Amino acid sequence: MSQPGDGIRVALFATCINDVMFPNTPKAVVKLLERLGCTVDFPFGQTCCGQMFTNTGYYKEGLTTVHTYVDAFERYDYIVAPSGSCVGAVRHQHPMLAEWAGDELLLARVCKLVPRTFDLSEFLVDVLGVTDVGAFFPHKVTYHATCHSLRVTKVGERPYQLLQAVRGLDFVELPSDEAGLPTAEECCGFGGTFSLKNPDVSVAMVSEKVRNILATGAEYVTAGDNSCLMNIGGLLHRQKAPVKAIHLAEILASTEEDAA
Amino acid sequence: MTRLTPAPPPGKLIDSPPFKVNAKKELANPVLRKNLRFATHTIRAKRRLRVSEVGEEAWQQLRDAAAEIKDRVARHLDTYLLQLEETLTAKGAVVHWARDAAEANQIVVDLVKAKQVQDVVKIKSMVTQEIDLNESLEANGVAAWETDLAELIVQLGHDRPSHILVPAIHRNRSEVREIFLREMGRYGTPAPADLSNDPPVLAAAARTHLRNKFLAAKVAISGGNFAIAETGTLVIVESEGNGRMCLTLPETLISVVGIEKVLPTFDDLEVFLQLLPRSSTAERMNPYTSMWSGITPGDGPQELHVVLVDNGRTQALADEIGRPALRCIRCSACLNICPVYERVGGHAYGSVYPGPIGIALTPQLRGIKSVIDKSLPFACSLCNACADVCPVQIPLPEIIVHNRNRVAEAKQSERRPHLETTAVGAMTWVWKNPKHWEKMLKLAGLSGKALAALRVQSLGPLPPPISAWSNARDLPAPPAQSFREWWKRNREGAQ
Ligand code: SF4
């Protein structure tokens, strides 16, 4: 039987945080993409997208990771990361840093990679053209849009489409605020080093996010970024709340066999 | 010396403690948080509705046009300013140039003193807040009375504004009632003893209190939303009509205007008068739009002074990344959508410009020398919500990150070691070379194994600096095997 990913070779950009803290997410990406027919490579030259440096103001340091990124992925047509945030960094910060450094050659190399770097949800929906990835996940799930997926990488409705096509999944939206606006779009308060530099504000923000999540009665909260989920999950865990944080990729990779 | 007007809190804004310290204090105030949350969420939703009425495409066209006009102004600022001076002068106004706050204040003080008055009335104006004009006047024996309702609440409350459009956003009605009852009598017509906290009743008390001040004032001070170079026209948009009173009743009008407020032609207004009300008060059109071009004999003020203020604007102009911050039309949409502002309010920012525009613009105008200015760029989770709502499309997150870069470079150029720069140096070594990263992953895996042996799945409270995270949130223990390790074991051979 032919598969949407037949003949497509994908370089997996695991992202540093997943590599060290959340290996199950890139493993899920591998499983999912292979199930859809893709060939998956993991280039060992990869490290980090550098946004922690760049966002904290350390451009020179961020620039070193632009070089590692370009060196590692240059030979691939499709680079897929389970992170709207890291993809956003590649698309916007890498060109900015190359320009800042006045490095024309690097800028040219970066600009070639920008349109070839995809968030998982974009790759599935836009490149492979699938929303039903054959997943099965018999649980009540809510979704946090994450700021960078939503407003920087602009993944739009794709994660919703993917979740809605998962068999057995009972999807529940995060509630609207008292003025009728969707709270799914509000920041969870992570913000990288923001959570360390302004911990009190960060905690005030995540507390509200967690309250909204609990109000849905969901068993799982999912998102396209483990950094935000680590923030949300960290508070859920501290409160011993009965909700688990899980990356979108892990839901999409699940099948009936896993449930059995 | 006894004061003429209510004293604001002591100290200068620029001497504020760092943002984190102020934020902690404000977060501890549940009334403030409730007031702010209610106000920002309500206005957010209304703005969204008003913008959607225009239609996504038309709104985007307006935003594009606004950004282009403002960028043209920035490119040719010198030309437009000279043209403005010429048209204003031709129409009977006197133009003054002020390099900084001290010069601007001195000009206004001299003008007011020459009129031999003890009182002036004021229209709400951000630039006069910025230069702290009221306190300069007070020090020179002149009482400046704020006539905007919310500014009046702030002034009578011995307080500082906490929002650029709704300066008393941090107050609820019962607080306003108490302030009016306590203070109005000390500075003019008292509030009626049976004052309720019904908004129309409160507004009526303010109106009565202000009436005598309007009628007695010989000099008014205003800002200006726009200054049209082509026609020498100053424009103010407002909601209450107090501005209209100040602009028409007194004999002398002094308008203090930032140099970035100039617009090339009268036609350009069309764009901004559509964008501003919908973005600020979420109205289709603001109730009062006043325009005045010089002097009209027998009608309105017969003496008009326009003070054009730089106060750091040319410094921002010279910064290629910071420059678009000068497009700002002070609508406050970015404040209202900001999750950080929503929780801490404007006082935490140590600047008259709080919220996203505050942390983008203040370090451009004032520099990054004081502790508050060094901390401001970091008062942001980079959620990007502000960039989406800004009617003039200021890339706020980019300017904020750029300001962080200025702070980081300043830190690195200091000789003493910082925990942060040391950590950043170490992580650069790790991520520069995949081999180094692999070593780091192995280490994490070993600690993960050790923790697993102890059956530790997650880490609770930890020592500083991680305590900033772990005081309220758990951290998962690292797994025993990194992804890379797993791939090596399970996939390498298979390929
Ligand atoms: S930065 Fe933009 S959104 Fe914020 S006040 Fe200025 S114009 Fe309005």
Side-chain angles (χ1 to χ4, degrees), chain A residues 29-246:
Chain A
V29 178
V30 175
K31 178 179 167 190
L32 172 64
L33 292 180
E34 288 182 346
R35 191 169 79 212
L36 293 168
C38 300
T39 308
V40 181
D41 279 4
F42 178 75
F44 273 87
Q46 65 182 286
T47 63
C48 164
C49 70
Q51 72 163 306
M52 196 196 82
F53 291 143
T54 316
N55 282 342
T56 315
Y58 292 88
Y59 286 9
K60 215 172 354 90
E61 293 73 7
L63 196 64
T64 63
T65 65
V66 180
H67 283 283
T68 20
Y69 185 84
V70 171
D71 289 344
F73 290 105
E74 213 156 30
R75 52 203 177 87
Y76 291 95
D77 289 330
Y78 297 103
I79 304 146
V80 176
S83 164
S85 190
C86 303
V87 169
V90 171
R91 285 192 194 156
H92 299 281
Q93 295 185 336
H94 286 195
M96 184 276 279
L97 289 170
E99 259 177 69
W100 171 83
D103 189 336
E104 297 278 332
L105 185 68
L106 181 64
L107 182 63
R109 294 170 74 195
V110 163
C111 287
K112 281 203 190 119
L113 280 187
V114 164
R116 294 195 236 145
T117 304
F118 298 88
D119 171 64
L120 176 67
S121 68
E122 295 176 316
F123 182 75
L124 294 172
V125 177
D126 301 350
V127 179
L128 299 188
V130 288
T131 46
D132 184 350
V133 295
F136 174 73
F137 194 74
H139 299 282
K140 193 167 177 181
V141 177
T142 190
Y143 173 71
H144 164 56
T146 84
C147 301
H148 289 182
S149 294
L150 185 71
R151 287 180 281 265
V152 177
T153 302
K154 300 193 196 294
V155 302
E157 291 295 305
R158 296 176 187 88
Y160 291 97
Q161 293 168 345
L162 290 161
L163 281 171
Q164 244 123 28
V166 174
R167 275 188 302 285
L169 189 143
D170 175 11
F171 182 74
V172 41
E173 282 262 19
L174 281 172
S176 298
D177 67 8
E178 58 272 43
L181 294 174
T183 61
E185 297 178 5
E186 282 178 12
C187 182
C188 74
F190 174 64
T193 48
F194 171 77
S195 58
L196 300 175
K197 284 183 179 264
N198 280 295
D200 302 300
V201 190
S202 171
V203 168
M205 287 159 73
V206 70
S207 303
E208 209 156 293
K209 184 58 76 180
V210 160
R211 248 198 318 281
N212 287 327
I213 291 166
L214 294 179
T216 62
E219 298 159 76
Y220 288 91
V221 52
T222 191
D225 264 297
N226 273 331
S227 46
C228 309
L229 287 173
M230 181 172 77
N231 184 39
I232 295 169
L235 185 61
L236 284 168
H237 195 271
R238 178 67 55 91
Q239 296 184 347
K240 301 195 169 38
V243 189
K244 286 192 272 295
I246 185 172

Side-chain angles (χ1 to χ4, degrees), chain B residues 16-90:
Chain B
S16 305
F19 179 83
K20 183 171 137 178
V21 172
N22 309 331
K24 193 169 182 147
K25 193 170 117 213
E26 304 294 327
L27 278 167
N29 180 347
V31 181
L32 172 83
R33 283 185 66 184
K34 219 172 128 224
N35 296 352
L36 274 171
R37 187 189 154 85
F38 176 77
T40 52
H41 282 245
T42 313
I43 190 84
R44 229 180 252 181
K46 267 176 84 182
R47 187 208 73 93
R48 178 124 125 178
L49 176 70
R50 287 291 168 257
V51 168
S52 72
E53 288 174 354
V54 179
E56 210 173 306
E57 205 182 318
W59 185 254
Q60 189 50 42
Q61 285 171 355
L62 284 168
R63 294 174 85 209
D64 289 342
E68 279 170 27
I69 294 167
K70 284 284 188 179
D71 284 354
R72 188 165 77 238
V73 168
R75 274 199 305 279
H76 307 293
L77 189 59
D78 50 346
T79 312
Y80 290 124
L81 283 173
L82 290 174
Q83 190 188 357
L84 179 68
E85 181 180 41
E86 212 176 288
T87 49
L88 277 169
T89 314

Side-chain angles (χ1 to χ4, degrees), chain B residues 164 328-335 357 386 389-392 394 396:
Chain B
I164 61 179
C328 177
I329 54 174
R330 313 277 189 260
C331 73
S332 74
C334 61
L335 277 65
I357 184 58
C386 53
V389 297
C390 176
V392 290
I394 302 174
L396 291 157

Side-chain angles (χ1 to χ4, degrees), chain B residues 14 130 273 330 345 407:
Chain B
I14 197 161
E130 181 189 318
L273 292 184
R330 313 277 189 260
V407 175

